[in-house]
């Protein structure tokens, strides 16, 4: 993250995100960069990271007819400019699709790949710092476990001399383990001149962005390398790499949550989303899944096997085990949602309880209200959704059906097993069930009639 004290902070920064990849190896109808990690698209991960690294402007280069990719870019970063690369003529050619933006005159021009989603804001910041130190080009490198296929970084001291693409490298160059992650930072004043000087004189007849290094050096400018972990620069080309990146990201998210003061009893079993927020002294038991938009405030406990998405759990509340909180859920302070309770688009006031086997959908449950086991809000008539309101301190007896729209007043009682179709005033009792019939001696007579009458036993 760029802080005010960083020399890079005063520099204006444009980030060009290459998102034109076809991703045929994903074998998917969805473009590669819209696949998700931790509930967020690959493209969105990159946009979040560069924004955190201080990008003043973002340009996204998409393939032809990729309105879906453009829409995702704008959803995350409304000011993003979209550029279409009509033909795939190489990475430098792709960057130049945003020529007009580069020409606006920025201090730093960063190139990021939308299919390389784990690069952190801190690493983008380190690339920018090399420009601030006087490099015209800064390249992100990594020591590859298997360098095959990657561009090799040819260095001398801190100077990067050239990047040699695998297909163009000789035997000696192929023995180099330091590889190009692809991401690059260019001095904004030089960027257009460097990019325009890149030719297609290589094995793939492509305009290689990597050639910016040799072009810069030929002009007496400096090129530097910033080294990152291989896991951070992992590109996504297929579903196995997607799963590896997910694993890397989950480890990162769990560590961050624990560092911020949440207890994860079995972190390796907890699945977090990139935007999950856990407060201090939150306890998360094993096997909990946080989908997008979950927020758990200080001291709340999420018991085992719960699933939360688009839900806020306020301080000191208790959820689960086996609870499902769906979008629009707001669980009040100290409230309790127990096992096999599903909540959707519903608010539970402070101290409210729904401890067992319930569905609360499109509902407002008042503070300290008690929702008995098996209570269901009948919120759907086959066409429309309707709301249920339960007042503060109300008591809904077990196995009740609340047929919405319906309001149960503050402090009212609903007898167990009721089907409530009409509003219940505050402090009233509503019982909506068939009256019980009791027949003295009936059971005994029944047994006398039938016992011994049938000697034929079923095996
Ligand atoms: C690139 C680097 C290589 C590096 C490797 C890391 C170049 C010339 N080579 O090679 O040094 O080791 O990444 O993974 O930069 N793209 C476009 N339009 C194009 C071509 C590419 O948008 O015309 C995008 C791709 O969608 C992808 C990125 O640029 O996101 C990299 O392209 P790719 O073809 O994967 O480059 P590599 O051959 O892997
Ligand atoms: Ca690649």
């Amino acid at each position: 993250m760029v802080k005010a004290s960083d020399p890079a902070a005063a520099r204006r920064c444009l980030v060009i995100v290459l998102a034109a990849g076809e991703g045929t190896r994903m074998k998917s109808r969805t473009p590669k960069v819209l696949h998700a990690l931790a509930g967020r698209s690959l493209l969105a991960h990159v946009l979040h990271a560069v924004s955190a690294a201080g990008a003043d402007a973002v340009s996204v280069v998409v393939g032809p007819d990729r309105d879906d990719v453009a829409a995702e870019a704008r959803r995350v970063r409304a000011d993003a400019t979209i550029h279409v690369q009509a033909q795939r003529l190489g990475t430098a050619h792709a960057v130049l699709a945003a020529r007009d933006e580069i020409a606006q005159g920025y201090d730093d021009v960063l190139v990021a790949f939308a299919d390389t989603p784990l690069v952190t804001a801190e690493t983008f910041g380190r690339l920018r710092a090399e420009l601030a130190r006087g490099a015209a080009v800064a390249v992100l490198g990594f020591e590859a476990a298997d360098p095959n296929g990657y561009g090799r970084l040819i260095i001398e001291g801190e100077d990067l001399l050239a990047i040699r693409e695998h297909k163009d490298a000789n035997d000696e160059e192929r023995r180099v383990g330091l590889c190009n992650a692809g991401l690059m930072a260019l001095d904004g004043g030089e960027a257009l001149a460097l990019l325009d000087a890149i030719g297609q004189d290589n094995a793939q007849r492509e305009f290689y962005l990597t050639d910016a290094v040799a072009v810069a050096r030929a002009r007496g400018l400096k090129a530097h390398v910033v080294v990152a972990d291989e896991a951070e620069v992992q590109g996504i080309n297929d579903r196995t790499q997607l799963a590896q990146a997910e694993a890397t990201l989950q480890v990162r998210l769990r560590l961050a949550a624990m560092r911020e003061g949440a207890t994860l009893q079995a972190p390796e079993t907890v699945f977090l989303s990139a935007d999950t927020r856990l407060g201090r002294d939150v306890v998360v038991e094993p096997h909990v899944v946080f989908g997008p938009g979950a927020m758990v405030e200080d001291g709340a406990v999420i018991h085992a096997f719960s699933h939360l998405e688009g839900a806020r759990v306020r301080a000191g509340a208790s959820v689960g085990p086996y609870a499902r909180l769906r979008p629009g859920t707001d669980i009040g302070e100290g409230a309790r949602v127990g096992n096999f309770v599903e909540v959707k688009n519903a608010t539970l006031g402070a101290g409210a309880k729904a401890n067992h086997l319930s569905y609360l959908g499109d509902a407002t449950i008042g503070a300290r209200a008690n929702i008995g086991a098996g209570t269901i809000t009948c919120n759907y008539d086959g066409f429309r959704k309707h709301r249920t309101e339960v007042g503060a301190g109300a008591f809904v007896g077990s196995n009740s059906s609340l047929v919405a729209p319906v309001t149960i007043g503050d402090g009212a009682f609903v007898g167990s097993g009721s089907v409530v179709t009409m509003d219940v005033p505050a402090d009233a009792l509503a019982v909506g069930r068939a009256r019980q019939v009791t027949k003295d001696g009936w059971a005994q007579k029944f047994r006398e009639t039938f016992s011994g009458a049938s000697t034929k036993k079923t095996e």
Side-chain angles (χ1 to χ4, degrees):
M1 229 138 301
V2 178
K3 300 189 195 76
S5 55
D6 287 352
R11 296 170 62 96
R12 301 248 315 145
C13 176
L14 166 69
V15 180
I16 299 169
V17 181
L18 302 192
E22 290 151 15
T24 46
R25 281 159 62 197
M26 297 297 282
K27 308 235 168 99
S28 174
R29 286 170 180 275
T30 304
K32 177 167 76 171
V33 301
L34 297 189
H35 281 260
L37 292 176
R40 179 179 275 177
S41 70
L42 306 186
L43 175 60
H45 279 285
V46 174
L47 294 173
H48 277 276
V50 300
S51 294
D56 296 289
V58 175
S59 297
V60 181
V61 179
V62 303
D65 305 315
R66 282 269 67 116
D67 293 345
D68 45 3
V69 177
E72 170 70 352
R74 288 209 195 84
R75 186 186 65 79
V76 180
R77 187 102 193 195
D79 65 348
T81 61
I82 308 297
H83 309 267
V84 177
Q85 187 194 22
Q87 270 183 294
R88 280 178 72 86
L89 299 179
T91 41
H93 179 260
V95 172
L96 279 170
R99 169 185 297 279
D100 291 349
E101 293 305 309
I102 304 170
Q104 300 282 317
Y106 287 90
D107 301 298
D108 299 349
V109 174
L110 265 58
V111 179
F113 292 172
D115 67 358
T116 309
L118 300 182
V119 179
T120 62
E122 194 254 329
T123 297
F124 284 111
R126 285 199 291 144
L127 285 168
R128 295 188 66 191
E130 289 306 312
L131 299 182
R133 282 183 60 214
V137 181
V139 169
L140 189 60
F142 66 103
E143 286 292 341
D146 174 12
N148 266 311
Y150 291 113
R152 307 301 208 284
L153 301 184
I154 314 299
I155 56 172
E156 193 179 273
E158 81 161 5
D159 287 322
L160 174 62
L161 304 183
I163 306 177
R164 197 77 67 227
E165 287 307 295
H166 185 85
K167 286 183 180 147
D168 302 297
N170 62 34
D171 286 348
E172 192 191 337
E173 289 164 340
R174 283 186 182 185
R175 278 194 289 276
V176 172
L178 186 62
C179 291
N180 177 29
L183 286 72
M184 197 176 279
L186 300 166
D187 180 274
E190 308 284 351
L192 266 189
L194 296 179
L195 291 166
D196 278 330
I198 291 170
Q200 289 167 281
D201 184 18
N202 54 58
Q204 301 184 83
R205 295 264 152 246
E206 282 187 6
F207 294 96
Y208 286 167
L209 176 62
T210 46
D211 283 349
V213 172
V215 172
R217 294 210 34 104
R219 295 171 180 216
L221 300 169
K222 283 190 172 303
H224 288 169
V225 177
V226 164
V227 178
D229 270 356
E230 181 160 21
E232 184 183 348
V233 302
Q234 170 74 65
I236 312 285
N237 297 301
D238 59 31
R239 309 246 184 187
T240 64
Q241 289 171 330
L242 188 70
Q244 281 160 10
E246 183 76 66
T248 302
L249 187 55
Q250 288 299 326
V251 169
R252 206 189 263 179
L253 294 170
R254 291 168 191 144
L255 287 174
M258 290 187 279
R259 286 195 188 106
E260 289 302 313
T263 293
L264 308 187
Q265 291 178 341
E268 67 284 2
T269 68
V270 174
F271 186 96
L272 296 156
S273 283
D275 65 355
T276 302
R277 284 187 287 162
L278 305 181
R280 297 248 162 121
D281 297 313
V282 163
V283 174
V284 180
E285 290 186 356
H287 299 286
V288 172
V289 175
F290 293 95
M295 174 177 180
V296 183
E297 295 175 5
D298 295 357
V301 180
I302 311 298
H303 294 282
F305 299 103
S306 293
H307 189 288
L308 294 80
E309 180 180 3
R312 176 174 184 179
V313 178
R314 295 183 193 243
S318 165
V319 171
Y322 298 98
R324 178 167 184 210
L325 305 187
R326 292 169 54 201
T329 292
D330 186 331
I331 306 297
E333 267 187 48
R336 304 177 70 85
V337 172
N339 41 269
F340 305 107
V341 173
E342 175 180 347
V343 185
K344 185 218 72 172
N345 190 28
T347 300
L348 268 68
K353 287 187 237 164
N355 275 333
H356 337 265
L357 303 152
S358 271
Y359 172 57
L360 301 174
D362 303 301
T364 306
I365 311 296
R368 299 174 321 282
N370 185 85
I371 305 296
T375 296
I376 303 289
T377 54
C378 309
N379 60 326
Y380 187 48
D381 61 14
F383 298 95
R384 295 159 302 168
K385 300 282 169 68
H386 303 281
R387 289 199 68 82
T388 299
E389 313 261 348
V390 176
F395 184 97
V396 179
S398 297
N399 200 33
S400 293
S401 303
L402 309 179
V403 183
V406 73
T407 298
I408 293 161
D410 292 350
F413 261 65
V414 171
S416 355
S418 292
V419 176
V420 181
T421 56
M422 289 176 291
D423 290 354
V424 182
D427 296 318
L429 165 69
V431 183
R433 64 183 180 224
R435 191 171 281 277
Q436 182 170 323
V437 175
T438 307
K439 297 183 177 176
D440 287 333
W442 184 95
Q444 198 185 359
K445 222 184 289 169
F446 179 81
R447 277 193 298 273
E448 281 166 11
T449 307
F450 290 103
S451 66
S454 166
T455 49
K456 221 170 116 193
K457 276 193 188 152
T458 46
E459 291 297 315

